[in-house]
Amino acid sequence: AANNLIAKTEHFDFASIYDNETGTDCCHESTWNDHYDAMRLCYFSFPDLSVSGKRLYLLVNPSKLFIWGAGDVLGTACALQKLDEMSGANSVVRKLPPYVLCDAPGGGFEIYKPDPKREEALCAALARHQLQYQFESYARQLEFLSSDADVLQNDLFVSKFVALQAKDGSLRSTCTWTQTVECLLPKTDSIGFSVVNEEKTKATFLGEVQWKDAVKILGDQMIPEPGMYPPRFRTVGFPSKEQLQRLGIRV
């Protein structure tokens, strides 16, 4: 398959956007439109495509690759505008996880982590798109698991992936660990804890903690469920009063 792709790619088809102020290209958009751009990224380095700064790559779908330089404001704006268009509700093309890649020191690629201060717009846009992608992925998974025989047979509660926006505009995700049932928790920024009354007719919310803090104390009660993407964790029992207090939750 690799040899066929290399043979088929006779030239680098990119539409480039020129920055008149700097006199350089600021962004390159692939134009093959044959669903193989993700594979091309693995086999070609595109050395003839000039960028200012560290080279960044964004695959919004299998047929659309963007290349630009880190810190290039115009290049970033062009890539994010296309990401908005491709991620819209009316898009019929299969989306890819909205993560920006960069060249890894030892070869290959790694996920690029933009500087929150110098690349504020890129940070905010990627956080929004990534949260939306996770929400949609977990929603599809929840629909499947709700009718899965193993889940029904073991009476597992499939916890929802909930996306929230704070007053300051920041985004985060959360889920709920409920007493009396084994839960399949999605990987979220935080976890809420709920207990139910003896009649199991009413749930009381106890509080919420960061996922990373919960793992430190409850890690042996949060077992990764094999073969699941996006990942889920099966709960074992429910945190004791002492454990909840160590997490800062009053009970």
Side-chain angles (χ1 to χ4, degrees):
N3 290 333
N4 289 338
L5 178 66
I6 293 171
K8 182 179 179 181
T9 307
E10 298 177 354
H11 53 84
F12 294 156
D13 271 350
F14 282 85
S16 301
I17 298 177
Y18 187 77
D19 186 348
N20 290 322
E21 292 187 5
T22 63
T24 59
D25 293 325
C26 65
C27 184
H28 308 277
E29 175 183 347
S30 65
T31 59
W32 282 288
N33 293 318
D34 60 5
H35 306 293
Y36 292 109
D37 285 7
M39 289 294 293
R40 285 190 177 92
L41 188 56
C42 296
Y43 293 105
F44 299 103
S45 60
F46 308 113
D48 296 332
L49 300 177
S50 61
V51 298
S52 59
K54 188 173 186 176
R55 187 175 295 222
L56 302 182
Y57 308 86
L58 174 64
L59 281 158
V60 294
N61 63 50
S63 293
K64 196 57 60 178
L65 167 64
F66 293 91
I67 301 176
W68 77 101
D72 189 318
V73 177
L74 183 56
T76 298
C78 292
L80 292 181
Q81 179 183 358
K82 193 61 67 169
L83 179 59
D84 283 335
E85 294 174 1
M86 297 291 180
S87 301
N90 296 327
S91 177
V92 295
V93 181
R94 179 168 62 88
K95 303 174 186 176
L96 293 179
Y99 290 89
V100 173
L101 303 177
C102 63
D103 296 307
F109 303 98
E110 63 184 8
I111 294 177
Y112 179 68
K113 298 180 180 179
D115 187 287
K117 295 182 178 179
R118 292 186 289 105
E119 300 173 281
E120 183 178 356
L122 181 59
C123 279
L126 290 179
R128 174 170 52 86
H129 281 288
Q130 289 165 9
L131 186 66
Q132 179 65 28
Y133 183 86
Q134 291 173 332
F135 176 82
E136 293 173 356
S137 298
Y138 273 115
R140 289 192 296 268
Q141 186 190 62
L142 174 63
E143 184 178 353
F144 169 77
L145 291 176
S146 297
S147 58
D148 181 72
D150 290 337
V151 172
L152 296 174
Q153 183 177 354
N154 293 292
D155 197 25
L156 298 175
F157 174 73
V158 186
S159 183
K160 289 184 178 180
F161 179 97
V162 179
L164 301 172
Q165 182 173 17
K167 292 182 180 180
D168 63 359
S170 61
L171 302 170
R172 65 182 182 88
S173 58
T174 189
C175 62
T176 302
W177 186 336
T178 306
Q179 188 189 35
T180 74
V181 293
E182 284 188 51
C183 302
L184 287 176
L185 302 178
K187 176 64 174 68
T188 51
D189 297 319
S190 63
I191 305 176
F193 298 89
S194 291
V195 297
V196 296
N197 59 10
E198 293 183 359
E199 295 78 18
K200 298 184 180 181
T201 58
K202 182 180 179 181
T204 301
F205 185 73
L206 299 179
E208 187 178 17
V209 300
Q210 292 295 304
W211 181 282
K212 57 182 175 58
D213 295 330
V215 169
K216 293 177 183 178
I217 296 175
L218 306 171
D220 59 349
Q221 295 175 253
M222 301 165 61
I223 311 302
E225 191 71 4
M228 282 202 182
Y229 181 83
R232 283 190 180 267
F233 298 76
R234 184 185 293 219
T235 62
V236 178
F238 190 76
S240 65
K241 180 178 180 180
E242 291 74 20
Q243 287 175 317
L244 291 172
Q245 288 175 339
R246 288 174 61 192
L247 287 169
I249 296 177
R250 291 185 178 182
V251 289

